[in-house]
Amino acid sequence: HKKELAMELSMIGIDYHTASVEEREPFAFTDSGAVRFMKSVKETDPDASCIVLSTCNRTELWFYNLTPDPLDYLFTQLPHIKNSGRELFVRRSGTEAVSYLMEMTSGLHSQILGEDQIVSQVREALNRARECCKPDPVLDTLFRMAVTAAKKVKTETRIGSRDTSVPERAVSILEDRYGSFKGKQCLVIGNGEMGRLLAAWLIHKGACVSMTLRQYRKQDVMIPAGCGVVPYRDRYKTMGTMDFVFSATKSPHYTVHAQQAAEALEENCSYVFADLAVPRDLDPDLTELPGCCLLDMDDLGLQVSADAGELKKAEEIICEQSDEFMNWYYFRDYIPLVREVSSAAGELTNAKLKKTYRELRKKHRDVSGLQKEVMRASESAVERILFGLKDVLPRQEWKHILEALELSADEVDIF
């Protein structure tokens, strides 16, 4: 069984542990790029499925039933990269991959321990896969249960209890380095989730914040209260009056180019540019401009420690959820058998009540609806009992017990 799962479930990933932001960015996926990749997997190998998770700190590709080697397949889809960066990827499969996904979704592998954003990012990755090409039930269930595990860790431990996030931590680090944000002029490029969280946190700190907005998105974006709006095309015009310029988009291209910025920035002034995106939004050549300091995700990342007791609680929750997934994984082959036994139980119940139904008909009562409800209730009750077997019996006993129940049901004379 372990060998079977190891062969079927696999992932490859690159993150801040193994690679710098510069090394990670060629492997970052936009939403549309992730959809294209997942569709290509299905077209190449119809029995396979894939979920792409791409965030500012990591890119992970999760596969089920993929025939080609995952890393080989990735690089065939990125011919411009050739083989550069293969050594930066980590491989996981089987039970190791299951436990890792639970831990990662709970924020235990994040730069900011217990951060909240990763849960929604995992959920969004699953929803994107469902919309473009329905993932195999194994991947779907694994990702759902990972989100459930993360929610339990969040509510039952104090890890991440302060609702830490990348924007909050970035602002905190900058505040330690440059002093209070109160009254500072800040421009936030990007109005997605990251941009809105960042703008809201800067406003909370007392900064004067403006956020860029593209014309075509005006009706779709909620601007944080107290935040000004700058048309995206006017970002360079506004930049010269700012103390801090942040960029947090999913754009595959630079949102700020050094040459245009040089024309907009004032002489003898200091500017801090903070890039919260992967691939990077801000042109690295900004560091060459007088008075400019450019910081990226690696500069703003910081590991936060947690109480050993709280970490142990989190690990116990994750272990429990991992075991629950493994039980589901191995029990799923017996689901048709459970349905057969439950159906037989419904028919047996219906047969036992034939005399009662006859008496009701004599009283001119319609019992067709009652019969259906009784059968459904009986099937449901037996089904729940049988599904409960996976939680109380060793795996090696499931098959024998369910087959014995099926034979027993077949031999009962219900007429």
Side-chain angles (χ1 to χ4, degrees), residues 165-176 178-190 194-212 224-228 242-248 272 274 276 300:
S165 64
V166 170
E168 177 184 344
R169 192 62 188 160
V171 170
S172 177
I173 291 171
L174 291 172
E175 196 170 38
D176 289 343
Y178 296 103
S180 172
F181 271 91
K182 191 168 184 179
K184 297 292 185 183
Q185 298 292 324
C186 299
L187 176 65
V188 176
I189 301 173
M194 182 85 82
R196 293 194 301 273
L197 285 170
L198 178 59
W201 194 248
L202 287 167
I203 291 167
H204 172 72
K205 290 290 186 176
C208 301
V209 184
S210 296
M211 174 183 282
T212 62
C227 184
M242 297 293 161
D243 299 301
F244 292 84
V245 177
F246 297 84
S247 193
V272 176
L276 303 188
L300 297 171

Side-chain angles (χ1 to χ4, degrees), residues 1 53 59 62 86 149 158 171 232 237-238 262 308 323 364:
H1 279 319
L53 175 66
T59 294
W62 289 80
R86 286 179 72 102
R158 293 198 300 274
V171 170
Y232 180 77
K237 295 179 185 177
T238 311
D323 286 344
H364 306 290

Side-chain angles (χ1 to χ4, degrees), residues 84-376:
S84 177
R86 286 179 72 102
E87 72 284 355
L88 300 173
F89 278 81
V90 173
R91 294 174 181 263
R92 295 181 179 89
S93 62
T95 54
E96 181 192 4
V98 171
S99 297
Y100 166 76
L101 183 62
M102 303 275 182
E103 293 166 0
M104 186 268 292
T105 308
S106 300
L108 300 190
H109 293 283
S110 296
Q111 281 186 310
I112 302 165
L113 191 68
E115 56 117 342
D116 297 321
Q117 283 181 295
I118 189 62
V119 184
S120 60
Q121 288 164 340
V122 169
R123 189 187 297 112
E124 287 166 10
L126 173 58
N127 290 337
R128 191 178 302 115
R130 286 171 171 172
E131 289 169 8
C132 79
C133 43
K134 188 177 179 182
D136 182 276
V138 173
L139 271 186
D140 191 294
T141 302
L142 175 59
F143 269 65
R144 280 195 296 104
M145 292 184 72
V147 170
T148 299
K151 288 179 178 177
K152 286 188 175 183
V153 169
K154 175 70 177 174
T155 56
E156 297 178 24
T157 74
R158 293 198 300 274
I159 294 175
S161 59
R162 291 186 61 253
D163 295 327
T164 53
S165 64
V166 170
E168 177 184 344
R169 192 62 188 160
V171 170
S172 177
I173 291 171
L174 291 172
E175 196 170 38
D176 289 343
R177 187 177 298 188
Y178 296 103
S180 172
F181 271 91
K182 191 168 184 179
K184 297 292 185 183
Q185 298 292 324
C186 299
L187 176 65
V188 176
I189 301 173
N191 46 52
E193 180 186 12
M194 182 85 82
R196 293 194 301 273
L197 285 170
L198 178 59
W201 194 248
L202 287 167
I203 291 167
H204 172 72
K205 290 290 186 176
C208 301
V209 184
S210 296
M211 174 183 282
T212 62
L213 185 63
R214 293 182 187 269
Q215 185 70 28
Y216 67 88
R217 293 200 63 189
K218 272 190 177 179
Q219 306 302 319
D220 304 325
V221 178
M222 291 184 64
I223 304 297
C227 184
V229 174
V230 173
Y232 180 77
R233 64 178 180 273
D234 294 337
R235 62 196 183 283
Y236 289 110
K237 295 179 185 177
T238 311
M239 212 170 282
T241 63
M242 297 293 161
D243 299 301
F244 292 84
V245 177
F246 297 84
S247 193
T249 78
K250 294 183 179 181
S251 171
H253 311 292
Y254 291 147
T255 57
V256 177
H257 291 269
Q259 185 175 347
Q260 287 94 319
E263 298 170 4
L265 302 181
E266 298 181 7
E267 294 183 7
N268 303 318
C269 289
S270 297
Y271 301 91
V272 176
F273 288 85
D275 195 334
L276 303 188
V278 178
R280 288 173 291 180
D281 278 349
L282 304 180
D283 186 345
D285 288 345
L286 285 166
T287 56
E288 305 298 322
L289 301 184
C292 289
C293 175
L294 174 61
L295 303 169
D296 61 28
M297 286 295 299
D298 288 351
D299 300 312
L300 297 171
L302 183 66
Q303 285 282 18
V304 180
S305 61
D307 179 78
E310 296 303 305
L311 278 174
K312 186 177 179 182
K313 285 183 194 175
E315 288 165 2
E316 288 171 353
I317 292 168
I318 288 166
C319 184
E320 180 183 314
Q321 288 295 115
S322 297
D323 286 344
E324 188 174 328
F325 170 78
M326 296 306 298
N327 278 345
W328 172 86
Y329 174 81
Y330 290 120
F331 196 79
R332 75 194 197 288
D333 290 338
Y334 303 113
I335 289 176
L337 199 52
V338 169
R339 304 278 191 233
E340 287 181 29
V341 175
S342 301
S343 178
E347 291 178 12
L348 181 60
T349 302
N350 188 50
K352 292 292 184 182
L353 291 172
K354 275 190 174 181
K355 183 178 179 182
T356 303
Y357 295 146
R358 251 193 325 267
E359 293 298 322
L360 289 171
R361 287 193 188 96
K362 288 178 183 178
K363 297 178 181 179
H364 306 290
R365 295 186 183 177
D366 181 11
V367 296
S368 57
L370 176 61
Q371 280 181 286
K372 289 179 183 177
E373 287 298 320
V374 169
M375 284 189 68
R376 272 198 293 266

